[in-house]
Amino acid sequence: MSEAVFQETTAEPRTQSVPLAHLSLELGHLYMEDFEAGPGRLREHFAEVRIWVDAARASVARRGKRPRISTCFLIDDYFSRFSTPAELIPMVLKEAEKAGLVIDYLARESACAVADRVELAESVMHRLVESPPPGSYGSRPPVSQTGWLANGQRTPTASRSALGQVKGWEPPRETAARNHSVFMDVELWSEKDGRRLWSCPFLAAVWQLARLGLLRHLGEPVLVPADWNGGDFPQDWDRLPPLTRLTGPAAAPFSAYRTCTLMPNRFLAVEDAVRLILDQTDVDAGALRQVAERSAREGMAVPAAVAQRATYVFYEEPGDSSESEGA
């Protein structure tokens, strides 16, 4: 008699694929103070963004005959909430249209923390793999306890002599330094009123993974877009879907092989931190394999390093030049 073999269905997890565009083009990632400044601030933002949109599209067209490009816009409803979706979103869409831009997908930043009851930020946190610097011996608690992620060896705790002099000071060292170190230490979350508050760089890293089609929960896609029915937007942010497709099924897929983010240059430090986080995230192997196979079939090769799949254009905001001249 042959022996029957019983196996848990979860022993062979299946990673469901997601549709992929060639490029996910982010047209905005602003804070609530930007919206508080009124339509004029949005008008300035979209006018700057419009300059670079054609260049981003042309870059993708070089790699493919008929490029699939989707656009998205992220609204911060996580750190603070201003106005209502019913009042704010029409203003965003109107100003984008005036600049000749179309927003395919609208996302809430709070969805990068929790979306459809899935703890996305918590899930990504558990996938962090710290890059231990040479010679380290595990004296520092892991990132899951400290909430801090570095790209190298931190400055050791200095001891002092009886006279109060610091002995044996050593500088921090970047693990993959080229000639000189550029050391970064990024705070991933803080605790406030007994609640974990995820940092902007960490939520932005989750956002990039979603746009790259690399986020899964038990093998299932997350942040699946819900179609807007063309009616009024809700009065409450919690009643707005985590990700809304505004332009219907004809829109290119939300996720893509590569991302390009157009934003003010004040976000530069945040996005540097995002790349550090992506470099130390153990991304779902099944999702990575699917992207690699499909991009190869299309002749749209993507970098092996996930962080290298994200590109940026940082524009100078009005007033920046005058402020620097007076500094």
Side-chain angles (χ1 to χ4, degrees):
M1 295 178 62
S2 60
E3 294 185 3
V5 177
F6 295 93
Q7 191 173 25
E8 293 279 354
T9 57
T10 54
E12 297 181 1
R14 175 180 175 272
T15 301
Q16 185 175 332
S17 63
V18 298
L20 292 167
H22 295 126
L23 179 70
S24 165
L25 188 56
E26 184 175 356
L27 303 181
H29 182 159
L30 302 177
Y31 290 133
M32 282 301 162
E33 53 263 33
D34 295 302
F35 298 113
E36 288 178 329
R41 174 68 189 95
L42 283 172
R43 195 170 305 130
E44 292 172 355
H45 168 75
F46 285 125
E48 289 286 346
V49 165
R50 185 67 184 85
I51 297 170
W52 300 102
V53 166
D54 290 340
R57 292 182 180 275
S59 178
V60 179
R62 280 197 316 113
R63 303 183 177 94
K65 295 180 181 178
R66 305 179 75 177
R68 302 185 302 275
I69 301 174
S70 63
T71 60
C72 58
F73 191 92
L74 186 70
I75 290 182
D76 170 27
D77 70 327
Y78 180 76
F79 296 100
S80 59
R81 293 192 172 184
F82 170 74
S83 186
T84 66
E87 181 179 353
L88 194 62
I89 296 175
M91 179 176 67
V92 171
L93 298 181
K94 181 179 179 181
E95 294 302 331
E97 184 180 12
K98 286 181 179 178
L101 299 170
V102 175
I103 299 173
D104 294 317
Y105 297 92
L106 182 79
R108 297 165 48 203
E109 189 162 15
S110 62
C112 297
V114 181
D116 299 323
R117 301 181 182 179
V118 178
E119 302 272 354
L120 295 185
E122 187 80 16
S123 175
V124 173
M125 187 273 289
H126 288 299
R127 284 187 167 274
L128 293 176
V129 180
E130 291 182 89
S131 177
S136 61
Y137 50 89
S139 60
R140 183 179 177 88
V143 61
S144 59
Q145 295 180 24
T146 64
W148 286 82
L149 187 68
N151 65 345
Q153 176 66 57
R154 300 171 172 91
T155 298
T157 302
S159 60
R160 292 181 177 273
S161 67
L163 298 178
Q165 298 174 325
V166 176
K167 300 188 299 181
W169 179 85
E170 295 180 20
R173 291 187 178 88
E174 180 188 0
T175 300
R178 297 184 62 180
N179 299 322
H180 299 83
S181 288
V182 179
F183 180 78
M184 294 180 64
D185 208 352
V186 179
E187 186 176 20
L188 306 184
W189 69 79
S190 60
E191 299 289 339
K192 185 176 182 180
D193 300 327
R195 169 179 168 266
R196 178 168 290 182
L197 183 70
W198 300 102
S199 70
C200 184
F202 193 68
L203 292 180
V206 175
W207 173 235
Q208 285 287 352
L209 290 171
R211 293 172 63 199
L212 289 168
L214 299 175
L215 278 187
R216 299 291 189 279
H217 175 66
L218 301 177
E220 298 292 322
V222 298
L223 277 183
V224 177
D227 281 316
W228 177 47
N229 60 12
D232 294 335
F233 291 98
Q235 294 290 331
D236 186 85
W237 288 103
D238 291 328
R239 293 178 62 85
L240 185 72
L243 179 65
T244 304
R245 182 166 55 185
L246 300 171
T247 51
F254 166 68
S255 298
Y257 296 134
R258 296 170 182 264
T259 67
C260 180
T261 302
L262 311 171
M263 54 178 26
N265 55 12
R266 59 189 151 104
F267 287 93
L268 181 58
V270 170
E271 299 304 326
D272 275 342
V274 168
R275 295 172 73 87
L276 184 153
I277 296 167
L278 294 177
D279 276 335
Q280 298 188 53
T281 301
D282 180 25
V283 179
D284 184 285
L288 282 173
R289 183 172 57 254
Q290 289 171 354
V291 171
E293 292 173 351
R294 291 168 60 182
S295 62
R297 286 198 299 268
E298 288 198 63
M300 297 284 293
V302 297
V306 171
Q308 297 302 319
R309 303 178 190 185
T311 59
Y312 300 87
V313 173
F314 295 98
Y315 70 80
E316 181 181 3
E317 291 185 281
D320 285 352
S321 58
S322 62
E323 290 173 2
S324 60
E325 289 170 4

